[in-house]
Structure formats: C-alpha cells, structure tokens
Amino acid sequence: MIGRGLPRAPRRRLIGMGMFSFVSFWLLIALGVWQVHRWHHKDRVQRRIDAAQLAPPVPLPSHPTPYQKVAIAGHWIAGRAAFFGDQVRNSVAGPVRGAQLVMPFRRDNGDVVMVDLGWVPGTAPKPVPVPAGPTQVSGYVQAAQKPGLFSAQDNVAGRIFYTLDPRRIGAGLGLNRVADFTLIVVGPKPLAGGPVPAPRLPHPPNNSEQYALTWFGLAMVVVFEFFFYARKQLGESS
C-alpha cells in the first residue's frame, strides 16, 4: 500500500497524488497514441496528394476533393473578371498590391465555374486574354466559403470580393447557373505580367509526430514528478 507507515494526512496526500498521476499518465499516453495514428493517416494523405500532383488531371468527379487535380471542358466567358482578396507581394521594385483574378468558364453542360487564375498586380480586376472556342482548364476544387464575423465587405459594384463564394461572385458578374465551388488553377509560373497560379495542390502539414512526442514526454514528466513528490513526503515523515 502506498505510504504505509506514514501519518494519516501525508498518506492521504500521497495516495491522492498517486491517483492523479496515474490518470494523467494514461491520459497523456492515450493522446500520444492518437497523434501517432493521425501522423500515419496524414502521411497517407500526403502520399496521395504527391501522386496526384505528378499525374495528369482527371475529369471532374461528382464529389471532388481539394487533394486531386481535375479538369473541366467548355469555353471561357471572355470579358468578365473579378478580384478575390487583397494581397501585397514583394517584387524587385518593392511591395506590389494585387489579388486573385477570377474569371468564369462555362462547362459543356451549361454550368458556369468560377476559375481562380492566380495572383495579379493591380487594384481593379481586368480580364486577361483567354483561348476562344472549346478548351479545357485544370486545377483543384475549393469549396464555397462563408463570410466570417470579421470578413471585409465585398465591393460588388467594383467586382472585388473578400469571401470566395463563387455564386455571389458570379451574380456580381451577371451570371447564373454558377457551380458552388471554385476551380483553383495549378501550373508553372507564367510569363511576366500574367496571373501567378497556385504552384501545387494543397499540402496539409503533418506535425502529429511532434505532438505525439510532446504527449509522451509529458507522460514521463508526470512519472518523475510523482517520484520526486513521493520521495519528499517519505523523507519528511522519516
């Protein structure tokens, strides 16, 4: 029995600390094991993303995810464009203000998809030249966003939006039958002056290994803390 031979009060404190340490130890171990499982899961996801990044795009499925490269067929709706966000980037000449250029693309089935072509400098959206006639565009799918409590107010008249809501952006451009997702173009860096597309598919971080080590380390700290506490109690009562 813990603390046998100790006076009643120190023994009760030692038993209480022992129970607290026991529960804390196994709780921290459970959290560490959970993070190990998450690390393996995220590693598998990252491997699938890396494979999709190297593979050619697949036709847009019914339920696409942000971690696959997809392609849609149709034609561009030229002459219409909007800005999403407000971002400053560094250049040789100094900081340059710009935003993501969004243009509409009509699929063969008649639906309109808002396509994020990439970052461009400027304070007002201007359409860029796009191919005429049937073509394809590829990238990854971004689900529609909802404005947050602190989101900036959209400037619909100026076609500048701060929430990536494709249907709202499409309505601002006078379009209907707009899909509830945005296609984010992925590609190499274009010629000077063109939109700068996303360089690759989204790649979520995997820090679970570090978190697991942290939880396991804290579990060991609990063991050492109880050991030193118990030694102190026994020393004071001897």
Side-chain angles (χ1 to χ4, degrees), residues 83-114:
F83 265 178
F84 164 62
D86 186 1
Q87 186 181 25
V88 175
R89 295 195 176 188
N90 293 322
S91 70
V92 176
V96 178
R97 184 181 176 186
Q100 299 295 120
L101 182 67
V102 180
M103 291 184 62
F105 185 91
R106 192 178 300 278
R107 298 181 66 189
D108 291 338
N109 63 5
D111 291 345
V112 174
V113 175
M114 304 309 299

CSV table of all heavy atoms in Angstrom, one decimal, residues 83-114:
chain,number,residue,atom,x,y,z
A,83,PHE,N,-12.0,40.2,-58.7
A,83,PHE,CA,-10.9,40.1,-57.7
A,83,PHE,C,-11.4,39.4,-56.5
A,83,PHE,O,-12.5,39.6,-56.0
A,83,PHE,CB,-10.3,41.4,-57.3
A,83,PHE,CG,-9.1,41.9,-58.2
A,83,PHE,CD1,-8.5,43.1,-57.9
A,83,PHE,CD2,-8.6,41.1,-59.2
A,83,PHE,CE1,-7.4,43.5,-58.7
A,83,PHE,CE2,-7.5,41.5,-59.9
A,83,PHE,CZ,-6.9,42.7,-59.7
A,84,PHE,N,-10.5,38.5,-56.0
A,84,PHE,CA,-10.7,37.9,-54.7
A,84,PHE,C,-9.6,38.2,-53.8
A,84,PHE,O,-8.4,37.9,-54.1
A,84,PHE,CB,-10.9,36.4,-54.8
A,84,PHE,CG,-10.8,35.7,-53.4
A,84,PHE,CD1,-11.7,35.9,-52.4
A,84,PHE,CD2,-9.7,34.8,-53.2
A,84,PHE,CE1,-11.5,35.3,-51.2
A,84,PHE,CE2,-9.6,34.1,-52.0
A,84,PHE,CZ,-10.5,34.4,-51.0
A,85,GLY,N,-9.8,38.8,-52.6
A,85,GLY,CA,-8.8,39.1,-51.6
A,85,GLY,C,-8.0,40.3,-51.9
A,85,GLY,O,-8.3,41.1,-52.9
A,86,ASP,N,-7.1,40.6,-51.1
A,86,ASP,CA,-6.2,41.8,-51.2
A,86,ASP,C,-4.9,41.4,-50.6
A,86,ASP,O,-4.7,41.2,-49.4
A,86,ASP,CB,-6.8,42.9,-50.5
A,86,ASP,CG,-6.0,44.2,-50.7
A,86,ASP,OD1,-5.0,44.2,-51.4
A,86,ASP,OD2,-6.4,45.3,-50.1
A,87,GLN,N,-3.9,41.2,-51.5
A,87,GLN,CA,-2.6,40.7,-51.0
A,87,GLN,C,-1.4,41.5,-51.6
A,87,GLN,O,-1.4,41.9,-52.7
A,87,GLN,CB,-2.4,39.2,-51.4
A,87,GLN,CG,-1.2,38.5,-50.9
A,87,GLN,CD,-1.1,37.1,-51.4
A,87,GLN,OE1,-1.6,36.7,-52.4
A,87,GLN,NE2,-0.4,36.3,-50.6
A,88,VAL,N,-0.5,41.8,-50.7
A,88,VAL,CA,0.7,42.5,-51.1
A,88,VAL,C,1.9,41.5,-51.3
A,88,VAL,O,2.1,40.7,-50.4
A,88,VAL,CB,1.1,43.6,-50.1
A,88,VAL,CG1,2.4,44.3,-50.5
A,88,VAL,CG2,0.0,44.6,-50.0
A,89,ARG,N,2.6,41.6,-52.4
A,89,ARG,CA,3.7,40.7,-52.7
A,89,ARG,C,5.0,41.5,-52.9
A,89,ARG,O,4.9,42.7,-53.4
A,89,ARG,CB,3.4,39.8,-53.8
A,89,ARG,CG,2.3,38.8,-53.6
A,89,ARG,CD,2.3,37.7,-54.6
A,89,ARG,NE,1.3,36.7,-54.3
A,89,ARG,CZ,1.1,35.5,-54.9
A,89,ARG,NH1,2.0,35.2,-55.9
A,89,ARG,NH2,0.2,34.7,-54.6
A,90,ASN,N,6.1,41.0,-52.6
A,90,ASN,CA,7.3,41.7,-52.9
A,90,ASN,C,7.8,41.5,-54.3
A,90,ASN,O,7.6,40.4,-54.9
A,90,ASN,CB,8.4,41.1,-51.9
A,90,ASN,CG,8.1,41.5,-50.5
A,90,ASN,OD1,7.6,42.6,-50.2
A,90,ASN,ND2,8.5,40.6,-49.5
A,91,SER,N,8.4,42.5,-54.8
A,91,SER,CA,9.0,42.5,-56.2
A,91,SER,C,10.3,43.2,-56.1
A,91,SER,O,10.7,43.8,-55.1
A,91,SER,CB,8.0,43.1,-57.2
A,91,SER,OG,8.0,44.5,-57.0
A,92,VAL,N,11.0,43.2,-57.3
A,92,VAL,CA,12.3,43.9,-57.4
A,92,VAL,C,12.1,45.4,-57.1
A,92,VAL,O,12.9,46.1,-56.5
A,92,VAL,CB,12.9,43.7,-58.8
A,92,VAL,CG1,14.2,44.5,-58.9
A,92,VAL,CG2,13.2,42.2,-59.0
A,93,ALA,N,10.9,45.9,-57.5
A,93,ALA,CA,10.6,47.4,-57.4
A,93,ALA,C,10.1,47.7,-56.0
A,93,ALA,O,9.8,48.8,-55.7
A,93,ALA,CB,9.7,47.8,-58.5
A,94,GLY,N,9.8,46.7,-55.2
A,94,GLY,CA,9.2,46.9,-53.9
A,94,GLY,C,7.9,46.2,-53.7
A,94,GLY,O,7.5,45.4,-54.6
A,95,PRO,N,7.1,46.4,-52.6
A,95,PRO,CA,5.8,45.8,-52.4
A,95,PRO,C,4.8,46.1,-53.5
A,95,PRO,O,4.8,47.3,-53.9
A,95,PRO,CB,5.4,46.3,-51.0
A,95,PRO,CG,6.7,46.7,-50.4
A,95,PRO,CD,7.5,47.2,-51.5
A,96,VAL,N,4.1,45.2,-54.0
A,96,VAL,CA,3.1,45.4,-55.0
A,96,VAL,C,1.7,44.8,-54.5
A,96,VAL,O,1.7,43.7,-54.1
A,96,VAL,CB,3.5,44.7,-56.3
A,96,VAL,CG1,2.4,44.9,-57.4
A,96,VAL,CG2,4.8,45.2,-56.8
A,97,ARG,N,0.7,45.6,-54.6
A,97,ARG,CA,-0.6,45.2,-54.2
A,97,ARG,C,-1.3,44.5,-55.3
A,97,ARG,O,-1.2,44.9,-56.5
A,97,ARG,CB,-1.4,46.4,-53.8
A,97,ARG,CG,-2.8,46.1,-53.2
A,97,ARG,CD,-3.5,47.4,-52.8
A,97,ARG,NE,-4.9,47.1,-52.4
A,97,ARG,CZ,-5.8,48.0,-52.1
A,97,ARG,NH1,-5.4,49.3,-52.2
A,97,ARG,NH2,-7.0,47.7,-51.7
A,98,GLY,N,-2.1,43.4,-55.0
A,98,GLY,CA,-2.8,42.7,-56.0
A,98,GLY,C,-3.8,41.8,-55.4
A,98,GLY,O,-4.1,41.9,-54.2
A,99,ALA,N,-4.4,40.9,-56.2
A,99,ALA,CA,-5.4,40.0,-55.7
A,99,ALA,C,-5.5,38.8,-56.6
A,99,ALA,O,-4.8,38.7,-57.7
A,99,ALA,CB,-6.7,40.7,-55.6
A,100,GLN,N,-6.3,37.8,-56.3
A,100,GLN,CA,-6.5,36.6,-57.1
A,100,GLN,C,-7.5,37.0,-58.2
A,100,GLN,O,-8.6,37.5,-57.9
A,100,GLN,CB,-7.1,35.5,-56.3
A,100,GLN,CG,-6.2,35.0,-55.2
A,100,GLN,CD,-4.9,34.4,-55.7
A,100,GLN,OE1,-3.8,34.9,-55.4
A,100,GLN,NE2,-5.0,33.4,-56.5
A,101,LEU,N,-7.2,36.7,-59.5
A,101,LEU,CA,-8.0,37.0,-60.6
A,101,LEU,C,-9.0,35.8,-60.9
A,101,LEU,O,-8.5,34.7,-61.1
A,101,LEU,CB,-7.2,37.3,-61.8
A,101,LEU,CG,-8.0,37.7,-63.1
A,101,LEU,CD1,-8.7,39.0,-62.9
A,101,LEU,CD2,-7.1,37.7,-64.3
A,102,VAL,N,-10.3,36.1,-60.8
A,102,VAL,CA,-11.3,35.1,-61.0
A,102,VAL,C,-12.0,35.4,-62.3
A,102,VAL,O,-12.5,36.5,-62.5
A,102,VAL,CB,-12.2,35.0,-59.8
A,102,VAL,CG1,-13.3,34.0,-60.0
A,102,VAL,CG2,-11.5,34.8,-58.5
A,103,MET,N,-12.1,34.4,-63.2
A,103,MET,CA,-12.9,34.5,-64.4
A,103,MET,C,-13.8,33.4,-64.6
A,103,MET,O,-13.5,32.3,-64.1
A,103,MET,CB,-11.9,34.7,-65.6
A,103,MET,CG,-11.1,35.9,-65.6
A,103,MET,SD,-10.1,36.1,-67.1
A,103,MET,CE,-11.3,36.1,-68.4
A,104,PRO,N,-14.9,33.6,-65.3
A,104,PRO,CA,-15.9,32.5,-65.5
A,104,PRO,C,-15.6,31.6,-66.7
A,104,PRO,O,-15.1,32.0,-67.7
A,104,PRO,CB,-17.2,33.3,-65.7
A,104,PRO,CG,-16.8,34.5,-66.3
A,104,PRO,CD,-15.4,34.9,-65.8
A,105,PHE,N,-16.0,30.3,-66.5
A,105,PHE,CA,-15.8,29.3,-67.5
A,105,PHE,C,-17.1,28.5,-67.6
A,105,PHE,O,-17.6,28.0,-66.6
A,105,PHE,CB,-14.6,28.4,-67.1
A,105,PHE,CG,-14.2,27.4,-68.1
A,105,PHE,CD1,-13.3,27.6,-69.1
A,105,PHE,CD2,-14.8,26.1,-68.1
A,105,PHE,CE1,-12.9,26.7,-70.0
A,105,PHE,CE2,-14.4,25.1,-69.1
A,105,PHE,CZ,-13.5,25.4,-70.0
A,106,ARG,N,-17.7,28.4,-68.8
A,106,ARG,CA,-18.9,27.7,-69.0
A,106,ARG,C,-18.6,26.3,-69.4
A,106,ARG,O,-18.0,26.0,-70.5
A,106,ARG,CB,-19.8,28.4,-70.0
A,106,ARG,CG,-21.2,27.8,-70.0
A,106,ARG,CD,-22.2,28.5,-71.0
A,106,ARG,NE,-22.3,29.9,-70.6
A,106,ARG,CZ,-23.1,30.4,-69.7
A,106,ARG,NH1,-23.9,29.6,-69.0
A,106,ARG,NH2,-23.2,31.7,-69.5
A,107,ARG,N,-19.1,25.3,-68.7
A,107,ARG,CA,-18.9,23.9,-69.0
A,107,ARG,C,-19.8,23.5,-70.1
A,107,ARG,O,-20.7,24.2,-70.5
A,107,ARG,CB,-19.1,23.0,-67.8
A,107,ARG,CG,-18.2,23.3,-66.6
A,107,ARG,CD,-18.5,22.4,-65.4
A,107,ARG,NE,-18.2,21.0,-65.8
A,107,ARG,CZ,-18.6,20.0,-65.0
A,107,ARG,NH1,-19.2,20.2,-63.8
A,107,ARG,NH2,-18.3,18.7,-65.3
A,108,ASP,N,-19.5,22.3,-70.7
A,108,ASP,CA,-20.3,21.8,-71.8
A,108,ASP,C,-21.8,21.6,-71.4
A,108,ASP,O,-22.7,21.6,-72.3
A,108,ASP,CB,-19.7,20.5,-72.3
A,108,ASP,CG,-18.4,20.7,-73.0
A,108,ASP,OD1,-18.1,21.9,-73.5
A,108,ASP,OD2,-17.6,19.8,-73.1
A,109,ASN,N,-22.0,21.3,-70.1
A,109,ASN,CA,-23.4,21.1,-69.7
A,109,ASN,C,-24.1,22.4,-69.4
A,109,ASN,O,-25.3,22.4,-68.9
A,109,ASN,CB,-23.4,20.2,-68.4
A,109,ASN,CG,-22.7,20.8,-67.2
A,109,ASN,OD1,-22.3,22.0,-67.3
A,109,ASN,ND2,-22.6,20.1,-66.1
A,110,GLY,N,-23.5,23.6,-69.6
A,110,GLY,CA,-24.1,24.9,-69.3
A,110,GLY,C,-23.8,25.5,-68.0
A,110,GLY,O,-24.0,26.7,-67.8
A,111,ASP,N,-23.3,24.7,-67.1
A,111,ASP,CA,-22.9,25.3,-65.8
A,111,ASP,C,-21.7,26.2,-65.9
A,111,ASP,O,-20.8,26.0,-66.7
A,111,ASP,CB,-22.6,24.2,-64.7
A,111,ASP,CG,-23.9,23.4,-64.4
A,111,ASP,OD1,-25.0,23.9,-64.6
A,111,ASP,OD2,-23.7,22.3,-63.8
A,112,VAL,N,-21.7,27.2,-65.0
A,112,VAL,CA,-20.6,28.2,-65.0
A,112,VAL,C,-19.7,27.9,-63.8
A,112,VAL,O,-20.2,27.7,-62.7
A,112,VAL,CB,-21.1,29.6,-65.0
A,112,VAL,CG1,-19.9,30.6,-64.8
A,112,VAL,CG2,-21.8,30.0,-66.2
A,113,VAL,N,-18.4,27.7,-64.0
A,113,VAL,CA,-17.5,27.5,-62.9
A,113,VAL,C,-16.6,28.8,-62.8
A,113,VAL,O,-16.0,29.2,-63.8
A,113,VAL,CB,-16.6,26.3,-63.2
A,113,VAL,CG1,-15.5,26.2,-62.1
A,113,VAL,CG2,-17.5,25.0,-63.2
A,114,MET,N,-16.5,29.3,-61.6
A,114,MET,CA,-15.6,30.4,-61.4
A,114,MET,C,-14.2,29.9,-61.2
A,114,MET,O,-14.0,29.0,-60.4
A,114,MET,CB,-16.0,31.2,-60.2
A,114,MET,CG,-17.4,31.8,-60.2
A,114,MET,SD,-17.9,32.7,-61.7
A,114,MET,CE,-16.7,34.0,-61.6
